[in-house]
Amino acid sequence: MIKDLFGPLWQSFPAPLRDQLQGYATSFWEVLPQLVLSLLFILFVWLVVRAVRWALPKFLRRARMRRALVDVLLMLATVSLWLFGLLIAVTIAFPTITPGRALTALGVGGVAIGFAFKDVFENFLAGVLLLIREPFSIEDYIECEEIDGQVEEITIRDTHVRQTDGQLVVAPNAMFFKNPVTIRTAKDVRRTTIIAGIAYGEDVDEAREVITRAVKSVDAVRDDVRDVQIFAKEFGDSSINFEVTWWTGSKPVDIRSSRDKVVAAIKRALDEAGIEIPFPYRNLTFPETLRIARAGGDGTAQEEAEEATEAPPAEARRASG
């Protein structure tokens, strides 16, 4: 057949090469029907996969199964169908290759591929486990390894987190599987705390009552869920410090908004009650005599030394002058 097609060019080939090419051509025409059947079977597998990907999610969602678990089962079903379909297609095209031999070759190749793509398979398995266990879900706010933001997408290999400053972080799933993850929106409410100080001369009990009423008056404070807690915490440098704790929405913007309103309400309530919020007080001590310069009658500076502990009162100085 090849001889008829190529003519003189075919005669120029060495005899062993001509025999080998002739054998290839003969074998190809012999296995061509089997190859066609194999391709038709692959087409059939493709149609089955399309039907499964269309019907399975509807059935699982009707059973009220979680979205993450639906994605995992759909992925496993698709991979399994393609794996067994291609295996059967190979045995149809090449009858000498039995399913046992194909699985053996697949196992040996799988070990080699596993070593070569260790990180890829690690992230893949971590993604499957995260989707099944679902420690956090899409739209949750999480924090892990200095990544702090809202989960936008969880794929088989990585997780997309939109940080509060707008930047998108794409992190491998293995990081979330191996390291501790703080889920900030695991519940609808979250506790937040600020420190409020009053002067030492003020009444602590009265100030506590004023601060409590001020915090409860803020609409963002969920005192219907958990009580507002006001505790005198410590003796500060210039003030008695209160630890003010309340519960509000769990999203970061809820925390910031409620803190803003609570600080403003406490400041306004303390001002109205006449309770001082002190500035830092400082006492200065000099180890030696402090020299004070005074302007003389002729405009020149005169200096006199006075010991702070021995200086007479201002009234006595003016009387003696």
Side-chain angles (χ1 to χ4, degrees):
M1 183 179 299
I2 299 179
K3 179 179 179 180
D4 297 336
L5 292 175
F6 292 97
L9 179 62
W10 174 255
Q11 297 297 328
S12 64
F13 291 160
L17 180 59
R18 290 200 304 269
D19 294 339
Q20 189 173 11
L21 293 176
Q22 186 69 36
Y24 287 158
T26 303
S27 300
F28 172 75
W29 289 108
E30 289 177 353
V31 301
L32 182 59
Q34 299 169 358
L35 290 176
V36 173
L37 289 176
S38 177
L39 292 176
L40 291 176
F41 183 78
I42 291 176
L43 179 61
F44 171 74
V45 172
W46 178 75
L47 293 175
V48 172
V49 170
R50 289 289 301 270
V52 169
R53 292 182 65 87
W54 176 80
L56 186 61
K58 292 186 177 180
F59 173 77
L60 296 178
R61 292 193 184 99
R62 190 174 301 169
R64 296 182 179 180
M65 193 169 291
R66 298 196 315 265
R67 174 184 172 183
L69 192 55
V70 170
D71 294 339
V72 171
L73 294 177
L74 184 62
M75 182 269 299
L76 293 177
T78 302
V79 172
S80 300
L81 287 173
W82 275 116
L83 179 62
F84 287 103
L86 292 176
L87 183 62
I88 295 174
V90 170
T91 58
I92 293 174
F94 307 100
T96 57
I97 301 177
T98 63
R101 292 180 180 178
L103 288 174
T104 302
L106 184 63
V108 175
V111 172
I113 294 174
F115 279 109
F117 297 94
K118 174 180 175 296
D119 293 338
V120 175
F121 284 109
E122 181 183 31
N123 290 318
F124 173 80
L125 293 176
V128 171
L129 293 175
L130 286 176
L131 290 172
I132 292 176
R133 293 174 55 198
E134 200 174 22
F136 54 84
S137 57
I138 295 175
E139 296 185 358
D140 270 339
Y141 283 86
I142 64 173
E143 189 275 327
C144 179
E145 294 291 304
E146 298 183 358
I147 297 176
D148 192 347
Q150 186 179 29
V151 178
E152 285 193 347
E153 185 178 3
I154 304 174
T155 68
I156 295 298
R157 184 183 178 277
D158 48 42
T159 298
H160 300 185
V161 179
R162 180 74 62 178
Q163 297 191 128
T164 52
D165 60 0
Q167 299 184 83
L168 179 65
V169 178
V170 180
N173 287 328
M175 184 185 74
F176 298 101
F177 188 74
K178 292 180 178 180
N179 299 298
V181 179
T182 301
I183 305 172
R184 304 193 184 280
T185 51
K187 292 187 176 181
D188 294 335
V189 293
R190 184 150 56 102
R191 189 184 70 179
T192 185
T193 301
I194 63 171
I195 303 297
I198 63 170
Y200 274 95
E202 305 294 343
D203 185 86
V204 173
D205 294 330
E206 179 186 358
R208 184 189 295 110
E209 293 296 328
V210 171
I211 294 174
T212 302
R213 289 194 300 269
V215 175
K216 289 183 176 181
S217 66
V218 176
D219 55 357
V221 174
R222 297 293 305 275
D223 57 329
D224 58 323
V225 178
R226 299 286 182 89
D227 291 335
V228 174
Q229 296 177 334
I230 314 292
F231 296 110
K233 181 180 180 181
E234 61 186 357
F235 293 94
D237 293 337
S238 305
S239 61
I240 299 292
N241 292 330
F242 286 95
E243 183 182 65
V244 183
T245 301
W246 71 95
W247 293 77
T248 186
S250 57
K251 295 181 180 180
V253 66
D254 296 335
I255 299 293
R256 295 196 299 270
S257 176
S258 69
R259 186 181 291 122
D260 171 77
K261 294 178 181 179
V262 167
V263 169
I266 292 176
K267 173 65 167 60
R268 182 167 53 252
L270 291 178
D271 288 345
E272 291 175 355
I275 299 175
E276 180 185 1
I277 302 176
F279 293 100
Y281 294 149
R282 295 290 183 269
N283 293 327
L284 303 180
T285 303
F286 300 91
E288 298 179 354
T289 301
L290 179 63
R291 296 186 176 276
I292 302 175
R294 294 183 178 179
D298 55 355
T300 60
Q302 298 178 354
E303 290 187 356
E304 62 180 33
E306 293 184 353
E307 289 285 350
T309 57
E310 298 178 359
E315 294 80 358
R317 289 201 302 269
R318 283 197 295 267
S320 61

